[in-house]
Amino acid sequence: SQKIEQNSEALNIQEGKTATLTCNYTNYSPAYLQWYRQDPGRGPVFLLLIRENEKEKRKERLKVTFDTTLKQSLFHITASQPADSATYLCALSGSGNTGKLIFGQGTTLQVKP
Amino acid sequence: DTAVSQTPKYLVTQMGNDKSIKCEQNLGHDTMYWYKQDSKKFLKIMFSYNNKELIINETVPNRFSPKSPDKAHLNLHINSLELGDSAVYFCASSQEVATAYNEQFFGPGTRLTVL
């Protein structure tokens, strides 16, 4: 069955460092992959989308890579700030036209000042 | 000017009761979704509607019935509530379904507790 794995352990890093979060998937060939941020008690907020034929996407301090051979996406936050502390979710979608997203369980990032 | 709103934010009820959660989006989107986030934080799609038409119906007990009176509203009615229904329910919307660019906008969630 389709499976998405994100590191369930919290990631603790020092302010100013680069945070790298991992999303691995099996038994799936997504057409595109999305990353969302979720703060406690709130709904997820879209951050970035990357297509299967793209290797890398950037937006300000955020960078996403997508390796369909390794079946893995990496999400980087450079020059991290305490305000970046949140849970980050990856989500995969196929090429069908249903809009269905399959989410990972998320990785919680804690940036210490 | 909230984009996707849900009511109520919290819902505490007894087993066996029937309850509804309402969702409205003012983004002009065609597609709306219901997700369930369990205690382990997995966010799972339940239903989606495109222009009032049901297009995704995951393996969800038929005690759950979505209703879309118009494309800006998608309500979720739950009959005969069970303990396992306790979770946070999120409504979401997206501009179109049949595009690769399918960014979804989520509501604030409804925390349902069944006692």
Side-chain angles (χ1 to χ4, degrees):
Chain A
S1 61
Q2 298 163 348
K3 199 172 177 185
I4 302 172
E5 285 187 358
Q6 295 184 254
N7 192 345
S8 58
E9 289 183 15
L11 179 63
N12 295 299
I13 64 166
Q14 207 64 36
E15 183 176 7
K17 301 290 186 187
T18 296
T20 298
L21 286 68
T22 305
C23 176
N24 295 300
Y25 60 92
T26 54
N27 297 325
Y28 202 62
S29 296
Y32 54 98
L33 185 148
Q34 301 183 24
W35 283 88
Y36 287 78
R37 168 185 173 141
Q38 187 173 22
D39 290 284
R42 307 190 76 156
V45 175
F46 172 80
L47 295 174
L48 278 169
L49 175 148
I50 186 166
R51 293 184 172 84
E52 60 179 337
N53 59 355
E54 296 176 318
K55 296 291 183 192
E56 183 179 296
K57 203 79 168 282
R58 289 175 187 261
K59 180 181 175 184
E60 296 170 356
R61 294 185 295 112
L62 309 180
K63 184 177 88 170
V64 171
T65 62
F66 192 10
D67 189 326
T68 54
T69 303
L70 291 179
K71 294 187 181 296
Q72 181 182 78
S73 173
L74 299 179
F75 178 79
H76 306 271
I77 306 175
T78 57
S80 59
Q81 304 164 0
D84 295 327
S85 299
T87 297
Y88 292 86
L89 307 169
C90 75
L92 307 181
S93 182
S95 55
N97 61 355
T98 66
K100 178 179 173 180
L101 288 179
I102 300 175
F103 281 85
Q105 81 272 36
T107 297
T108 298
L109 172 67
Q110 191 73 33
V111 181
K112 297 183 194 279
Chain B
D1 57 344
T2 305
V4 182
S5 58
Q6 294 178 230
T7 54
K9 178 121 176 104
Y10 300 97
L11 188 51
V12 181
T13 187
Q14 300 285 335
M15 258 193 335
N17 282 351
D18 302 339
K19 290 293 177 187
S20 291
I21 307 173
K22 295 188 176 184
C23 178
E24 176 181 0
Q25 55 94 3
N26 62 4
L27 297 166
H29 288 168
D30 289 331
T31 308
M32 296 183 73
Y33 310 81
W34 276 111
Y35 287 86
K36 179 180 180 180
Q37 189 169 43
D38 60 25
S39 56
K40 292 186 178 165
K41 304 298 182 188
F42 273 104
L43 194 62
K44 197 168 177 191
I45 182 80
M46 299 172 70
F47 302 101
S48 80
Y49 272 74
N50 179 249
N51 241 329
K52 302 194 295 175
E53 182 186 343
L54 181 67
I55 54 169
I56 295 177
N57 185 351
E58 290 294 291
T59 311
V60 176
N62 57 15
R63 298 182 294 103
F64 290 79
S65 52
K67 278 193 172 48
S68 182
D70 55 61
K71 74 173 195 177
H73 296 84
L74 180 62
N75 304 323
L76 183 65
H77 188 76
I78 315 170
N79 288 326
S80 304
L81 278 155
E82 299 177 358
L83 292 176
D85 298 332
S86 296
V88 181
Y89 292 85
F90 287 100
C91 177
S93 72
S94 64
Q95 190 165 16
E96 291 177 47
V97 166
T99 60
Y101 225 88
N102 194 33
E103 169 188 354
Q104 295 188 14
F105 293 78
F106 284 80
T110 296
R111 181 174 290 277
L112 171 65
T113 304
V114 182
L115 304 174

